Amino acid sequence: MRPEEFDFEISRVVTAIRQHGCNSVLLQFPEGLKRKGREVATEIASQVPKCKIVVSGEPCYGACDIPQTDADLIVHFGHLPIPSIETEKSVLYIQTRSSADPLPAVELALSNLPEKVGVVTTTQHIHTLSNVIEFLEKNGIKVHVGKGDGRTFTAGQVLGCNTSSARAVADEVDVFLYVGTGNFHPLAITIATGKGVVIADPVTGEVRRIEELKNKVLKQRFGIIELAKNAKRFGIVLSTKIGQRRERATFDIKETLEGYGKEAVIVEMNSVTPQKLDAFGLDCWVSTVCPRLAVDDYALFSKPLISPVELEIAFGIRPWEEYALDEIFPF
């Protein structure tokens, strides 16, 4: 297995800086690519010595997370634009394509695939989608690739907060093939669609299923919801991030809580940490920010952290059988 490399498109970045006549540029990296920050910044600075190159040290979890800055240009690595979001600053999105070849893992997955398959992937691997489709079709698989809503940039793309491309073809497929790393995206897909998901990991070459993790996560979420039922004082997290700010939903949640006789306060913040939440001394928090927070980081928080969907289940507004991971839709 070859080490995974990423295409930072340095020449494209340098061209954009020159075309914009930038005096200062902010480079923004997701958590998994920050280790490359010094190297990329140094290379860019060497080609545009009169421009001030600064690397953002703040967390970045998606294209929804564009920082406030005085820089003339933000270069956002690792994600594609969210079409439904307009940014105040000039932003150059660099996909940061992965060098990992998915076909060995996809070939290994063939024995797990039925006749009709939906194919989904993430930003780093979207450029390999046509090769994957061609390979599957040559092996007798009928492939369906869904077009998502205004939150996704291209067909077949899934986000941690949006599975619309999968939901668009769920009725036409027997199973989904997820080409990518990690578990959250396929987890969101299987819960949203009710279909099984086969993961073909381009980096490790492994093939795995998601059912065991799905059952584990649902048990965890059920326990958190049960704890939330006994809470009296609620905090509702409202994000300052442009692509996560669901203000209307936040105030609707506050009204719902108060309608059930609960105390509720809306707390605005950029990055959510256990320390920030603990400072308020509340019993439970409802998160309207990145859906991954409540699922991936639940063990870090001393008080229940639930999604708007989970709040509905806790109050009996929605039955447990209709559980779904929180998603962010175009706004």
Side-chain angles (χ1 to χ4, degrees):
M1 181 178 66
R2 294 181 179 179
E4 184 182 25
E5 300 292 340
F6 297 95
D7 182 4
F8 291 94
E9 299 186 64
I10 300 296
S11 61
R12 182 180 167 206
V13 174
V14 169
T15 297
I17 292 172
R18 290 170 176 165
Q19 288 178 342
H20 282 78
C22 297
N23 293 313
S24 60
V25 171
L26 181 70
L27 307 183
Q28 188 181 22
F29 297 87
E31 300 313 288
L33 294 177
K34 276 188 167 64
R35 66 186 185 277
K36 293 288 188 177
R38 179 202 59 79
E39 178 183 334
V40 173
T42 300
E43 178 60 29
I44 293 172
S46 70
Q47 297 189 43
V48 283
K50 294 183 179 179
C51 181
K52 298 175 182 176
I53 306 297
V54 177
V55 177
S56 173
E58 292 299 316
C60 173
Y61 300 104
C64 58
D65 192 0
I66 303 300
Q68 296 292 323
T69 178
D70 292 330
D72 300 319
L73 176 68
I74 299 170
V75 181
H76 182 99
F77 293 98
H79 302 102
L80 290 165
I82 296 177
S84 61
I85 294 177
E86 293 185 7
T87 59
E88 294 182 1
K89 299 291 293 186
S90 294
V91 183
L92 175 64
Y93 293 90
I94 301 296
Q95 183 179 347
T96 322
R97 292 182 292 267
S98 168
S99 64
D101 180 6
L103 291 186
V106 173
E107 183 176 11
L108 192 61
L110 279 175
S111 60
N112 292 282
L113 299 179
E115 181 183 354
K116 296 181 291 184
V117 174
V119 178
V120 289
T121 187
T122 54
T123 298
Q124 273 71 50
H125 306 287
I126 201 75
H127 63 287
T128 68
L129 193 58
S130 59
N131 290 339
V132 170
I133 294 170
E134 181 181 1
F135 177 81
L136 292 173
E137 290 180 338
K138 284 183 177 179
N139 282 274
I141 303 294
K142 188 174 182 179
V143 178
H144 295 268
V145 178
K147 181 174 174 56
D149 59 26
R151 193 140 178 112
T152 56
F153 185 79
T154 187
Q157 179 192 18
V158 288
L159 307 177
C161 62
N162 188 288
T163 64
S164 58
S165 64
R167 287 185 280 104
V169 296
D171 292 339
E172 304 173 53
V173 306
D174 300 315
V175 74
F176 281 96
L177 175 68
Y178 169 75
V179 179
T181 59
N183 291 319
F184 187 84
H185 293 84
L187 177 67
I189 292 165
T190 190
I191 292 176
T193 65
K195 304 288 184 176
V197 179
V198 176
I199 303 170
D201 191 320
V203 178
T204 65
E206 296 175 341
V207 174
R208 60 186 187 275
R209 304 283 299 217
I210 200 69
E211 284 80 1
E212 184 176 344
L213 177 63
K214 174 185 176 181
N215 294 333
K216 178 181 178 181
V217 168
L218 289 179
K219 287 179 182 178
Q220 291 171 345
R221 300 319 302 166
F222 183 83
I224 296 294
I225 291 170
E226 288 298 303
L227 291 174
K229 289 180 179 180
N230 299 319
K232 295 181 179 179
R233 299 170 300 165
F234 285 77
I236 309 160
V237 183
L238 174 63
S239 180
T240 62
K241 300 181 189 296
I242 184 174
Q244 297 181 19
R245 188 174 178 83
R246 293 187 278 178
E247 192 167 322
R248 178 180 297 179
T250 303
F251 281 92
D252 286 346
I253 290 167
K254 184 175 188 292
E255 184 176 337
T256 296
L257 286 166
E258 292 174 341
Y260 280 87
K262 307 294 184 179
E263 298 176 27
V265 59
I266 295 172
V267 180
E268 183 180 79
M269 60 182 70
N270 187 273
S271 296
V272 182
T273 67
Q275 293 78 12
K276 288 181 180 180
L277 301 192
D278 287 345
F280 287 88
L282 300 175
D283 303 323
C284 182
W285 288 86
V286 184
S287 172
T288 67
V289 304
C290 178
R292 298 185 67 156
L293 183 71
V295 177
D296 281 356
D297 298 336
Y298 82 98
L300 301 177
F301 296 92
S302 62
K303 299 296 182 181
L305 179 69
I306 61 175
S307 71
V309 169
E310 292 169 342
L311 179 68
E312 291 180 357
I313 293 173
F315 287 164
I317 301 170
R318 175 194 292 247
W320 168 255
E321 291 73 21
E322 295 180 11
Y323 181 89
L325 290 180
D326 187 26
E327 292 196 45
I328 301 179
F329 303 105
F331 52 85

